[in-house]
Amino acid sequence: MRRLATLVRRPWVVLIALTIGLHACDSRSKGEQHYWAGHAYQEQGMKANALREYRSAVAAGVDSPAAYYALGALYGEKGEHGKAIAVYRELLAHWPEESRAQELLAARYVAAGQPAAAVSLYRTLLDQGGDPAALLGRLGDAQSLSGDLQSAAQSYGDLLVLRPDSSRARYQLARIYEAEGRAEPAIAAYVELLARKTYARQAALELANLLIERDRRGGELGSPRAEGWWRQQGLVGEEAVQKAEELLAERPDAVADLWGLGKLLFWQGRYQEALTCVAKLAETTPDDFRVHFFLSKLHGLLGEEEAAREAFAQYQRQEQRAKVAARVQTERDVLLKQLSGEIP
C-alpha cells in the first residue's frame, strides 16, 4: 500500500517506467533504452537525470543520432559548449551527412568563442547546397566575430539581395560600415532602419553617435551651422529625431531613448531642447557622470556659465565615485576568488 501511495503521488514514476518498458520490448540495443529513459525524464523536466541517461545511451553506442542531438542540446542549455561540441563532432563521425548537426556544431563554436571554425562549417554547408537565406546571416556573424569585416559585409550584402527586408542584416552591415569609417553608407543604412520597427531604436541611437562623432572629428561639433547646412544633410537628422521622439513617447523614462534624442538634438544645434532632454536623463540616472558632463557642455553652449560650472563639478564628483566603486568591486572580486581557491 505504501508503494502504491508513492506512485499515486508521483505519476511521473509510472510514466517513465512504462516508457522504458515499452521501448525495451522491441529495442535493438541497451543504448535505445537509455535514450528513451532520458526522453521520459526530460519530458518531466528532470534534466539532470535526462543528461545521465543520454550520456549512457551514447556510451552504449546507440544506433540513432537522436540521443546525440538531445545530449548536445542539454549541454548547450547548461553553457557547457566544449562538451556540446564534442557530442556533435562524434555524431558527425557516425552520420557525416547530418547537416543539422553541422549547423548546431557551428553555433556551438560561435558560443565557445571559436568563430573561425564556425565560418568553415557554414561555408561547407553552403557548398553542399544549404539554404543561403538561412545560412548567410550566420556566416556573416561568424566572420564579423573573427575580425573579417570585409567578408562579413559581403555575406550580409548577399543576404539582403535574397531578403531585402532583413533588418538584422542591414543593421549589422551598417555597423560594419561604421567600424570601417564609411560614414555615408552607414548613415544611409541607419536611416532606412528608422522605418523598421524591429531595429528602429538601435538605429536611432547608433545614428546619433555616428553623426556626433563625424562632426567631432571634423571640428564642427557645437559650432554654428552655415545657412543651407540642413538642406545639405537631407532629412537624416529630422527623421532620426522624429523616430527618437516616437520611441520616447512609448517609454518616457527609457534611458537609452533619452540619450539618443538628446544627442540628436545636440547634433542639430537645438541646445535648449537637448538640455530639457538631458536634464530629465539626469533625474532618471543621477549617478551617471556622463550625463553631468553632457549637461555642462549644453549649459556652456547656451551661455549659462554658472550652471555649466556646477554641472562640471558634479561630473567630477560622480566620476571619482565611479572610479572608487570600480576599484572596490575589483578588490572584492579578487578576494572572493582567493577565498574560493580560484587564485592563490
Side-chain angles (χ1 to χ4, degrees), residues 85-154:
I85 287 170
V87 169
Y88 291 131
R89 291 182 65 175
E90 187 175 351
L91 189 162
L92 287 166
H94 293 292
W95 298 277
E97 301 304 317
E98 283 286 320
S99 60
R100 180 185 165 211
Q102 289 178 296
E103 290 185 35
L104 291 169
L105 177 57
R108 285 305 109 203
Y109 275 132
V110 171
Q114 303 176 49
V119 168
S120 178
L121 271 173
Y122 285 132
R123 288 194 182 282
T124 298
L125 285 163
L126 285 166
D127 291 341
Q128 291 173 347
D131 182 8
L135 294 171
L136 282 170
R138 300 174 197 171
L139 173 60
D141 293 344
Q143 290 167 327
S144 181
L145 289 170
S146 299
D148 187 359
L149 297 184
Q150 186 174 0
S151 295
Q154 182 65 53

Side-chain angles (χ1 to χ4, degrees), residues 186-203:
I187 289 171
Y190 284 136
V191 169
E192 186 168 346
L193 284 167
L194 293 175
R196 312 279 183 89
K197 186 174 183 180
T198 310
Y199 279 87
R201 178 171 280 106
Q202 295 96 316

Side-chain angles (χ1 to χ4, degrees), residues 155-168:
S155 296
Y156 292 132
D158 291 344
L159 177 57
L160 285 170
V161 172
L162 296 173
R163 294 177 52 190
D165 61 339
S166 176
S167 297
R168 185 178 181 281

Side-chain angles (χ1 to χ4, degrees), residues 35-107:
Y35 166 70
W36 285 109
H39 179 75
Y41 278 126
Q42 192 168 4
E43 286 288 302
Q44 298 301 314
M46 303 170 70
K47 293 185 179 181
N49 289 351
L51 194 66
R52 183 191 66 231
E53 293 296 337
Y54 289 144
R55 279 200 299 257
S56 297
V58 169
V62 63
D63 189 24
S64 166
Y68 291 85
Y69 280 121
L71 182 58
L74 284 180
Y75 277 138
E77 288 180 18
K78 288 165 61 69
E80 297 183 11
H81 306 304
K83 291 181 179 179
I85 287 170
V87 169
Y88 291 131
R89 291 182 65 175
E90 187 175 351
L91 189 162
L92 287 166
H94 293 292
W95 298 277
E97 301 304 317
E98 283 286 320
S99 60
R100 180 185 165 211
Q102 289 178 296
E103 290 185 35
L104 291 169
L105 177 57

